[in-house]
Amino acid sequence: MASRNQNRAPRSPFSKKSSLDEVPLDKRRRIETRKPEVPSSMGRQRPPLAVVKQDAAGTSDIGSVEGSECGNVEFTKEEVEALLVEKLKVKKFDHKGKAEQLADYSKRLKLCIRWLQQVEEGHILEEEKLRNALASAEKKCSDTEVEMKDKVDELNAVNSKLRESMAALEEKLAKEESEKLDAIASHRSEKEARDAAEKLQASLSQKLEIVREEKLVADQKVSSYQDLYNRAQEYNKSLQQYNSKLQKDLETATESLKRVEDEKRTVLETLSNLRVHNKALQDELAKVTASLEETLKQKELLDNEIKCLRGELQQVRDDRDRHAREIQDLRDQVVKYKENTELSCEELDRLMRKSKALEERDSSQKQEIDTLKHELFAANDKLKMVSRSASETLTEFEEHKRIVQELQNRLAESELQILEGEKLRKKLHNTILELKGNIRVFCRVRPLLPDDANATETPVVSYPTATESLGRGVDLVQNGQKFNFTFDKVFHHETSQQDVFVEISQLVQSALDGYKVCIFAYGQTGSGKTYTMMGKPDAPEQKGLIPRSLEQIFQTSQALQAQGWKYKMQASMLEIYNENIRDLLSTSRSSSADLLKTENGVCGKQYTIKHDANGNTYVSDLTIIDVCSINQISSLLEQAAHSRSVGKTHMNEQSSRSHFVFTLRISGINENTEQQVQGVLNLIDLAGSERLSRSGATGERLKETQAINKSLSSLSDVIFALAKKEDHVPFRNSKLTYLLQPCLGGDSKTLMVVNISPDSSSVGESLCSLRFAARVNACEIGIPRRQTSMKPVDNRLSYG
C-alpha cells in the first residue's frame, strides 16, 4: 500500500535544512494515519489533488507574484521525481543560459513548494475533520484521542515552522535571482543540496515504510477497540434488558405476593366467620340433639304408657267377656229355673237385682272401655305426632350435619389454600431474596427454663398478630421500650425441631441441585444454638438440623437413583478454637500433649485455608471421609461431638468453646444425560457471645471467651462492610470470616438462624443479636450460581 506522501514534491534544494526533518517521527505518523492509501501496484497515475485556495496571510513577496500561476498547477509523483532528477544542459561557459535555466528551475521548485503548502493545508483540514470524528469516540478511546489531539497541535506548530522556513527559502531564492553573478557558487550549493535531498528522500522512504507499518498496527488497534466497544455496548444493552426483565419479574412477584396476602387475609376472615358460624351450628346441633333425646325419652314413656293402657284394655275386655258369659249363664239359669221349677219371688228378685247389677257393671265397664279407646286413640295420635316430629328433627339433624360437613370441607379447602398461598409466598419471597442476593435470616426463641433467674416473670419477647407480620415478626421489650424486628421467619418458644427443619428443607435440597448452601446458628451462649443444630442424640424427635438435613440428603439421593442420578459424598468436620483449626475427625487427637504441640505449631499438621479462582475453599491436611449411609455419618457426628471443646460457665452448664463447621460436598452425575453437579452443604454452629461479667470466665475460659468475642466481632465488621458495600471487606481479620468468605461474599445460598433467650436478664444480649441479624438480612452477597458441567469434577473438598 502506497501513501499520498509518495506523491509529495521534495524540498527545495536551496533549503539548508528540510522542514520534514523538523517534524518528529510520531507527528508524521499521526499525519500518515489520516491519509488515504493508494495502491502502488496500479499501473496508472494518481489522480490530481483538488485545487486548494491560497492562504493570503501566509504568502511572501515571491508567493504573491507567483500565486496566480500555482493556483491551478498540480503535480504528480512522476513530475516531482522528474523535477528532482532533472539536469541542466548548458554549455560549459554559458553562464547566462545556465542562470536562466536555474531561474526557471527555481520557479518550478517554488511552484512545487507552493503546491506542497496547499497540500499541507488540505492535510490540515483533513486532520481537523478526523479529529472531530475521533472526538465522538467512547470513553475507552479517550486517552488515545487526547494523545492524538496533542500530536495534531504539535504538527500544526511544525507546519507553522515549515511555512516560516518556506518563506525564508523564497526570500533566499529572490536574493539568488538578484545575485546572478554568484551563479557558479549557487550551482555548487544547489548540487550539494540536491545530493542531500536525495539522501533525505531515501531516509524518508524508509521512515515512510515504518510509518505505514505503525499505521497498520494503529488501524488494527482502532478496529479492535471499536469491536470491543461494540461488544460492550451490546453487553450493556443485554444487561439493561435483563435488568428490566428482572424488574418486571420483581414487580409481578410483588403484585402476586400482594394478591396472595389479600386472598390470605380474605380467607382468614372467611375462616373466622366460618368458625363462628360452625360454632353456632354446633350449639344449635347440640340443642337439637338434646331436644331429640328428650323427644325420644317422651316417646319411650308414651310407648310404655300405651303398652300399659293396652294391657288394661285387654284385661277389661277379658272381664267384659267373662261378665257377659256369666250374664248369659245367669239368664240360662233363670230360664232353666223358670221352666223346671217354680222359684220363689224373693230368689227371683235377688237374681234380677244381681242381673241388673251385672248389667250396670257391664255398662260401666263399656264406658271405661270407650274411655280407654279414646285415650288409646289420643295416645296413637300423640305417638304419630312425636314420630313425625322425630323424623322432622332427624331430617333437620341430617341437614345440619350435611351443612357442617360442607363447612368442614370448605374449611379444609380454605386451610389448604392458605397453605398453598403460604408456600407461594415463601417461594416468591425466596425468589426475591435470591434475585436480590440477600442472606436469609430465621429467628428462634427458646422457651423459659426452670434454671432461668426470672423464669416466673412475664417474658420480654412477644409476637405481633398483624397479618403482614404474622410468623415473621418479633418484639423485644427493654426498660419499657419495645423494639420491633422482622425476619424471613420467626419460630416461637413452642416450635418443634421438625417445624424448624421444614422451613429449611428446600434450602438443603439446593445442595443436591448443585448450589453452595451455608446454614449457621448465631446467638449468645445458652440461647439454644447447639440444640437447634445438633439436638439431643437420645431423643429421636428432638434431632437437630444437621442430622435431619443429612437424612433428607441421603433419602433424596436414593430416590433420584431411579432418574439415573448417582451421588458421591465427602464429609469433614473441624472446629476453630482460639483462632486455631482443629480436625475433629483426625485419629491423631489422642492425648492433650499432642494437641498442645499441634496448637503451638511444634509438630502436627498445618491446617491452612486456601481459596481458588472458582470461589472454592480448601483446608490443607484436613481429614476427608467418603460417606455412603446415614449411620456412618451419625457415628462421625458422635465422634466430632466428643472431640469438640466444651466448658462450663455461670451462664451455661455445657458451653461450646469453639466454632463447629460441618461440610458435606456432593458430586452427582446423571448417567442418562451425562450432566454433572457439584454442591456444598456447610452447617455451622458458632460459639456463643458472652459477657465476662455474667459468665465469670477466668484462666483458660477467659482466653477462650476473648478469642470467641474477637472472631464474632470480625464477623460483625465483615457484615457492616458488606451492608455499606465498601470496596474492602476485612475477611482476613479472623479465620472464621476467612473460612466463611465464599458464603458471605460469593454466590452461595446463605441462611442465619439467630437464637435468643426470653429471659429478662439476657434482654441486652438478645437485643444485640437481633440488631446484628437485621443487618445480616439487609446484606446483598450476589445471586446464587449453580455448579453444573459436562466434565468430571474435582474430588477435593470445598467449603463453599
Side-chain angles (χ1 to χ4, degrees):
M1 299 289 292
S3 171
R4 185 185 296 176
N5 291 339
Q6 291 179 341
N7 295 331
R8 287 186 179 181
R11 286 294 174 185
S12 172
F14 302 104
S15 177
K16 293 182 179 180
K17 182 178 180 180
S18 175
S19 60
L20 290 176
D21 292 336
E22 297 175 1
V23 182
L25 180 60
D26 56 348
K27 303 302 183 297
R28 294 199 302 271
R29 186 183 311 137
R30 174 68 178 177
I31 297 171
E32 291 298 325
T33 56
R34 288 167 168 78
K35 296 177 180 178
E37 297 178 358
V38 179
S40 59
S41 59
M42 298 177 65
R44 57 193 179 189
Q45 295 182 356
R46 176 183 174 275
L49 296 173
V51 178
V52 183
K53 292 184 179 181
Q54 179 180 356
D55 186 4
T59 58
S60 61
D61 297 336
I62 300 175
S64 62
V65 176
E66 304 293 339
S68 60
E69 296 181 3
C70 66
N72 297 324
V73 177
E74 295 179 356
F75 290 87
T76 61
K77 179 180 176 182
E78 289 77 5
E79 291 174 351
V80 174
E81 290 178 354
L83 185 61
L84 290 175
V85 300
E86 183 178 355
K87 295 181 181 180
L88 299 177
K89 298 180 181 181
V90 295
K91 295 181 181 180
K92 188 173 182 181
F93 298 103
D94 189 2
H95 297 292
K96 183 178 180 180
K98 195 171 186 179
E100 290 177 355
Q101 291 184 6
L102 284 173
D104 182 64
Y105 186 72
S106 298
K107 183 179 180 181
R108 284 184 290 161
L109 281 178
K110 284 190 289 182
L111 293 175
C112 183
I113 291 170
R114 186 61 180 173
W115 173 79
L116 178 61
Q117 184 179 2
Q118 294 176 355
V119 171
E120 290 295 333
E121 291 175 355
H123 290 168
I124 291 172
L125 294 175
E126 188 177 357
E127 288 169 3
E128 288 295 334
K129 293 180 181 178
L130 292 175
R131 188 167 65 251
N132 293 332
L134 291 174
S136 62
E138 295 297 330
K139 187 177 179 180
K140 292 184 179 181
C141 300
S142 60
D143 296 337
T144 306
E145 291 176 356
V146 171
E147 183 181 357
M148 290 183 176
K149 191 173 181 180
D150 294 338
K151 291 180 180 180
V152 169
D153 294 337
E154 293 177 2
L155 185 59
N156 289 333
V158 172
N159 287 334
S160 63
K161 292 180 181 180
L162 186 60
R163 292 191 190 98
E164 293 176 358
S165 63
M166 283 191 294
L169 181 60
E170 290 174 353
E171 293 176 358
K172 188 176 181 179
L173 289 175
K175 289 179 182 181
E176 288 177 353
E177 286 181 353
S178 63
E179 296 175 357
K180 292 182 180 181
L181 298 175
D182 300 330
I184 297 175
S186 299
H187 177 68
R188 201 175 286 127
S189 61
E190 286 177 3
K191 186 176 181 181
E192 293 175 358
R194 188 168 57 249
D195 295 337
E198 291 177 355
K199 292 179 181 180
L200 179 61
Q201 183 182 5
S203 62
L204 287 176
S205 300
Q206 295 177 357
K207 291 179 181 179
L208 182 60
E209 293 297 329
I210 296 173
V211 168
R212 287 173 182 169
E213 295 176 357
E214 292 177 353
K215 179 177 178 294
L216 291 176
V217 174
D219 291 338
Q220 292 176 358
K221 287 183 179 180
V222 170
S223 61
S224 63
Y225 288 155
Q226 188 66 29
D227 294 339
L228 182 62
Y229 170 73
N230 293 333
R231 289 198 298 269
Q233 289 289 341
E234 293 177 357
Y235 180 68
N236 188 19
K237 186 177 180 181
S238 63
L239 283 180
Q240 290 177 354
Q241 293 175 356
Y242 182 68
N243 188 18
S244 62
K245 182 180 178 182
L246 288 180
Q247 291 291 338
K248 292 179 181 178
D249 294 341
L250 181 59
E251 292 175 358
T252 305
T254 306
E255 293 176 358
S256 302
L257 185 59
K258 289 181 180 178
R259 288 198 300 271
V260 170
E261 291 291 342
D262 296 337
E263 292 177 0
K264 180 181 177 182
R265 193 179 300 106
T266 305
V267 169
L268 288 175
E269 293 176 356
T270 307
L271 181 61
S272 62
N273 296 331
L274 289 176
R275 285 176 178 170
V276 173
H277 187 59
N278 186 23
K279 187 176 180 181
L281 288 177
Q282 287 179 353
D283 295 338
E284 185 178 355
L285 180 62
K287 292 179 182 179
V288 171
T289 305
S291 176
L292 181 62
E293 290 177 355
E294 186 178 355
T295 304
L296 290 175
K297 288 180 182 180
Q298 292 179 0
K299 180 182 177 182
E300 290 177 358
L301 292 174
L302 290 173
D303 287 339
N304 294 331
E305 187 177 355
I306 290 171
K307 286 181 181 179
C308 294
L309 290 174
R310 284 177 179 174
E312 291 178 359
L313 179 62
Q314 186 66 32
Q315 187 177 2
V316 169
R317 285 176 178 175
D318 294 339
D319 292 341
R320 187 193 64 179
D321 294 339
R322 183 171 55 79
H323 290 158
R325 285 195 299 271
E326 288 179 356
I327 292 170
Q328 187 65 34
D329 291 339
L330 288 173
R331 285 177 179 175
D332 292 340
Q333 287 179 5
V334 169
V335 172
K336 187 177 179 180
Y337 284 136
K338 284 181 177 181
E339 291 177 354
N340 296 327
T341 60
E342 291 181 357
L343 298 174
S344 62
C345 293
E346 293 85 4
E347 186 177 1
L348 182 60
D349 293 335
R350 183 179 62 82
L351 291 173
M352 289 299 291
R353 287 193 299 270
K354 187 176 181 181
S355 176
K356 287 180 180 180
L358 290 173
E359 288 178 357
E360 291 176 356
R361 186 178 177 183
D362 183 54
S363 63
S364 64
Q365 286 180 351
K366 284 182 179 179
Q367 292 177 359
E368 188 177 356
I369 288 171
D370 293 336
T371 304
L372 290 174
K373 283 182 179 180
H374 289 304
E375 291 180 356
L376 181 61
F377 290 149
N380 287 329
D381 294 338
K382 191 174 182 180
L383 181 62
K384 290 179 181 179
M385 233 173 170
V386 169
S387 299
R388 191 180 303 109
S389 176
S391 63
E392 291 177 356
T393 305
L394 186 61
T395 304
E396 187 176 359
F397 173 74
E398 292 293 336
E399 182 67 20
H400 286 313
K401 187 176 180 181
R402 184 182 62 80
I403 294 174
V404 170
Q405 185 65 30
E406 290 179 356
L407 291 175
Q408 289 178 349
N409 294 334
R410 290 176 61 184
L411 181 62
E413 292 178 358
S414 300
E415 291 178 350
L416 183 61
Q417 290 178 358
I418 291 174
L419 292 176
E420 293 294 332
E422 185 66 18
K423 290 181 180 178
L424 179 61
R425 185 195 67 78
K426 291 179 182 178
K427 184 177 180 181
L428 294 175
H429 182 67
N430 291 334
T431 303
I432 293 172
L433 289 178
E434 289 180 2
L435 292 175
K436 292 172 63 178
N438 286 39
I439 300 177
R440 275 167 275 191
V441 176
F442 289 173
C443 176
R444 188 178 191 185
V445 183
R446 74 162 174 81
L448 281 170
L449 304 177
D451 297 337
D452 290 336
N454 300 316
T456 58
E457 296 182 1
T458 304
V460 296
V461 178
S462 60
Y463 311 97
T465 58
T467 305
E468 62 272 6
S469 301
L470 188 63
R472 300 178 61 240
V474 59
D475 299 336
L476 187 68
V477 180
Q478 183 185 31
N479 299 328
Q481 184 179 2
K482 181 181 286 188
F483 299 91
N484 303 318
F485 297 93
T486 302
F487 302 107
D488 299 305
K489 185 67 179 178
V490 173
F491 304 104
H492 56 80
H493 57 278
E494 296 180 354
T495 306
S496 64
Q497 296 279 66
Q498 177 62 24
D499 295 336
V500 177
F501 176 72
V502 168
E503 295 293 332
I504 71 163
S505 58
Q506 293 299 322
L507 195 63
V508 175
Q509 176 66 31
S510 299
L512 276 175
D513 298 336
Y515 290 94
K516 300 175 186 176
V517 178
C518 177
I519 303 174
F520 64 95
Y522 178 88
Q524 73 174 102
T525 182
S527 60
K529 299 183 302 301
T530 304
Y531 174 77
T532 299
M533 299 303 293
M534 300 297 295
K536 292 184 178 181
D538 53 348
E541 68 279 359
Q542 298 186 20
K543 290 185 295 185
L545 299 184
I546 293 179
R548 291 177 186 270
S549 299
L550 298 175
E551 287 179 359
Q552 177 181 339
I553 288 290
F554 281 101
Q555 291 174 1
T556 308
S557 62
Q558 291 176 0
L560 290 175
Q561 289 181 359
Q563 301 178 11
W565 283 98
K566 287 188 177 181
Y567 289 94
K568 178 182 178 182
M569 304 182 189
Q570 296 175 316
S572 71
M573 303 179 201
L574 62 86
E575 68 173 353
I576 301 177
Y577 176 77
N578 288 348
E579 284 299 305
N580 293 314
I581 295 178
R582 291 181 174 181
D583 188 356
L584 297 180
L585 300 182
S586 176
T587 57
S588 62
R589 294 169 54 90
S590 56
S591 65
S592 59
D594 294 339
L595 180 60
L596 183 61
K597 290 180 180 179
T598 303
E599 290 179 1
N600 296 333
V602 177
C603 64
K605 299 178 180 180
Q606 298 294 328
Y607 301 108
T608 305
I609 303 172
K610 299 179 181 179
H611 302 290
D612 63 7
N614 296 326
N616 297 318
T617 303
Y618 307 97
V619 178
S620 60
D621 296 334
L622 190 67
T623 302
I624 302 172
I625 298 178
D626 294 335
V627 291
C628 55
S629 66
I630 188 62
N631 295 329
Q632 181 185 6
I633 209 163
S634 299
S635 63
L636 295 178
L637 285 173
E638 185 177 356
Q639 176 186 348
H642 286 99
S643 303
R644 189 180 179 186
S645 301
V646 179
K648 178 180 179 182
T649 64
H650 292 173
M651 297 180 64
N652 195 356
E653 186 71 21
Q654 288 187 341
S655 176
S656 302
R657 313 307 295 168
S658 64
H659 306 298
F660 172 75
V661 181
F662 171 85
T663 301
L664 182 70
R665 179 167 182 180
I666 305 169
S667 299
I669 181 172
N670 192 317
E671 295 180 347
N672 299 329
T673 62
E674 297 184 357
Q675 183 184 10
Q676 297 185 1
V677 295
Q678 184 178 8
V680 180
L681 177 63
N682 294 315
L683 302 171
I684 302 169
D685 179 19
L686 299 178
S689 59
E690 58 186 54
R691 296 184 180 181
L692 295 176
S693 58
R694 295 193 61 196
S695 64
T698 58
E700 191 66 24
R701 294 289 175 266
L702 176 60
K703 182 180 177 181
E704 295 169 352
T705 301
Q706 291 173 346
I708 291 171
N709 291 339
K710 179 182 177 183
S711 60
L712 294 178
S713 178
S714 300
L715 179 61
S716 178
D717 294 339
V718 168
I719 294 299
F720 288 160
L722 290 174
K724 295 180 180 179
K725 297 183 179 180
E726 296 180 355
D727 295 335
H728 173 68
V729 181
F731 286 111
R732 291 181 176 269
N733 288 359
S734 170
K735 287 190 177 180
L736 173 65
T737 55
Y738 193 49
L739 187 66
L740 296 180
Q741 179 176 353
C743 304
L744 299 176
D747 51 4
S748 173
K749 290 186 177 183
T750 305
L751 167 68
M752 184 181 84
V753 182
V754 57
N755 299 81
I756 62 173
S757 171
D759 187 10
S760 59
S761 61
S762 302
V763 66
E765 290 84 352
S766 299
L767 183 59
C768 292
S769 298
L770 291 175
R771 285 173 174 170
F772 176 73
R775 293 190 185 98
V776 171
N777 201 13
C779 290
E780 298 180 2
I781 61 175
I783 300 176
R785 178 173 55 87
R786 187 183 182 190
Q787 292 184 335
T788 178
S789 63
M790 303 300 292
K791 298 180 181 179
V793 295
D794 193 0
N795 290 327
R796 295 182 299 170
L797 185 65
S798 168
Y799 285 89

